[in-house]
Amino acid sequence: MKKDNKAVIYWLLIGCALIFVMVIVGGITRLTHSGLSISNYKLISGTIPPMNEVEWNEAFELYKQYPEYQKLNYGMSLEEFKDIYFWEWIHRVIGRFIGLVFIIPFVYFLIKKRLSKSTIKKSIILLIMGGFQGFLGWYMVKSGLVDRPDVSHYRLAAHLTTAFLTFAYTFWVALDLMFPNKKQIDKKLRNLIRIGLIVLIIQIIYGAFVAGLDAGWIHNHWPFMSEGKFIHETVYIEQNPTYLNFIEGKSGVQFVHRTLAYIVVIFILAIWYKATRNEITHWQTKGVNSLLIMVGVQFLLGVLTLIYAVPVWLGVLHQVGAFILLSCMVFTLHRFSK
């Protein structure tokens, strides 16, 4: 690692840490049904919460104009509103802070000529991804302010997945700077890890579908669904035509998420087995071992979250587990790619 790159690496890793915090708060916001508590978007003034009783009442009256209050939370007290308002407000504030943490140092490093042409291009991609992530957050909230008192699970999945991908790419750029020396690679093993990463991302998308459809509150049994069935009949009869069950049906989406969990485990076991049968470096060993440990932890968290019907703390831990597992996969792929 070049000495001149240290500050840039720290900048990128701090960005990774902030995205991690953002995802945790986002998970709490979703699980506490706080995401629609702020129905307008003010880039600057929105960073300051209501400061007195008059401003709180104004915010509450605005909330009362939308479907969530009218159909789900009618009669909610002001104090209860303050609780859900807090999580959405802090989620948005962290998002703005991340923007500043990326933009200001980026400009500084540009002026000081601390970034290579390659890193500049990658950083610009990161800024675009971050901006798009913010837009998707607004676009997601907008979907819950019209008729249904809930956000579109497609938009939720896009918002969450973009956050995960932005983190993954930020981490990858940091790793490029941390490990600048290239080596010979095993292309077959690298490609297996690539496929594993794709399967993991699809699983993360389905995790967002489960969250968006509140599909974690049904079939709270394991290893089988309700009535001891591997595939419960509700998996394929909730929606018409049949294929919609697997992208819009609660049971169908949960079934896919359950099944993909086994596939992710199989892929990671295959990666670990093939890697450890070869001569691999210290960091490659660290990567595959971390994958093996983390997939076990994440699988257990998924089972517990399902059995206990998604208590907030377990739901958040499960989301954190997905984040860490993705980090391990990105690190492992990087070490087997360059």
Side-chain angles (χ1 to χ4, degrees), residues 11-284:
W11 164 55
L12 292 167
L13 292 179
I14 288 169
C16 288
L18 287 172
I19 296 171
F20 175 67
V21 172
M22 179 80 162
V23 168
I24 293 174
V25 174
I28 297 171
T29 301
R30 173 63 198 169
L31 289 167
T32 55
H33 300 284
S34 304
L36 297 176
S37 57
I38 305 176
S39 50
N40 56 8
Y41 190 85
K42 297 177 180 177
L43 183 60
I44 306 301
S45 60
T47 57
I48 303 172
M51 301 299 289
N52 53 54
E53 208 65 19
V54 172
E55 291 179 0
W56 272 115
N57 280 313
E58 286 176 357
F60 194 25
E61 288 303 316
L62 182 63
Y63 176 66
K64 289 179 180 180
Q65 295 174 24
Y66 292 96
E68 185 173 78
Y69 176 82
Q70 295 163 0
K71 297 181 180 181
L72 291 181
N73 292 333
Y74 189 79
M76 169 185 271
S77 69
L78 179 59
E79 290 306 310
E80 289 171 325
F81 171 70
K82 288 179 180 180
D83 288 339
I84 63 172
Y85 186 100
F86 169 78
W87 288 113
E88 176 62 11
W89 172 76
I90 196 70
H91 186 53
R92 294 188 184 195
V93 168
I94 293 170
R96 291 176 174 92
F97 183 63
I98 290 173
L100 293 175
V101 166
F102 269 99
I103 292 169
I104 294 173
F106 175 63
V107 173
Y108 171 80
F109 290 134
L110 269 182
I111 293 169
K112 293 292 185 179
K113 300 187 187 314
R114 299 283 292 276
L115 304 174
S116 67
K117 286 184 179 179
S118 174
T119 305
I120 290 171
K121 289 177 183 177
K122 293 171 186 174
S123 299
I124 291 171
I125 292 171
L126 280 175
L127 291 170
I128 292 169
M129 291 177 73
F132 185 58
Q133 165 70 0
F135 163 77
L136 284 175
W138 168 82
Y139 186 60
M140 177 186 69
V141 169
K142 191 178 176 183
S143 68
L145 301 177
V146 186
D147 299 313
R148 293 174 60 244
D150 205 358
V151 299
S152 160
H153 72 291
Y154 292 119
R155 298 187 191 186
L156 172 67
H159 183 54
L160 180 65
T161 306
T162 306
F164 274 76
L165 292 178
T166 302
F167 164 83
Y169 190 62
T170 307
F171 190 35
W172 187 273
V173 176
L175 289 171
D176 279 346
L177 296 174
M178 293 166 69
F179 298 98
N181 299 322
K182 295 188 177 183
K183 60 185 180 305
Q184 282 190 327
I185 60 170
D186 182 334
K187 290 185 179 180
K188 287 185 179 179
L189 187 51
R190 179 201 62 188
N191 291 342
L192 178 64
I193 301 169
R194 281 179 175 175
I195 297 169
L197 176 60
I198 292 168
V199 173
L200 178 58
I201 290 169
I202 294 170
Q203 173 69 326
I204 288 167
I205 292 169
Y206 265 90
F209 281 0
V210 169
L213 292 169
D214 291 333
W217 281 274
I218 59 172
H219 303 299
N220 300 111
H221 312 277
W222 186 84
F224 301 111
M225 300 180 85
S226 298
E227 301 166 27
K229 296 177 180 179
F230 178 69
I231 305 178
H232 196 266
E233 58 268 16
T234 52
V235 167
Y236 45 83
I237 64 172
E238 285 182 18
Q239 302 288 329
N240 191 37
T242 304
Y243 78 89
L244 283 178
N245 286 286
F246 302 103
I247 53 175
E248 294 184 2
K250 290 187 179 184
S251 294
V253 163
Q254 194 200 98
F255 172 75
V256 174
H257 194 51
R258 283 171 173 257
T259 306
L260 279 173
Y262 294 109
I263 295 172
V264 169
V265 170
I266 290 167
F267 262 100
I268 289 177
L269 284 172
I271 290 166
W272 180 85
Y273 179 80
K274 286 183 177 293
T276 54
R277 291 300 174 272
N278 297 335
E279 284 191 19
I280 56 177
T281 68
H282 169 77
W283 289 112
Q284 288 173 334

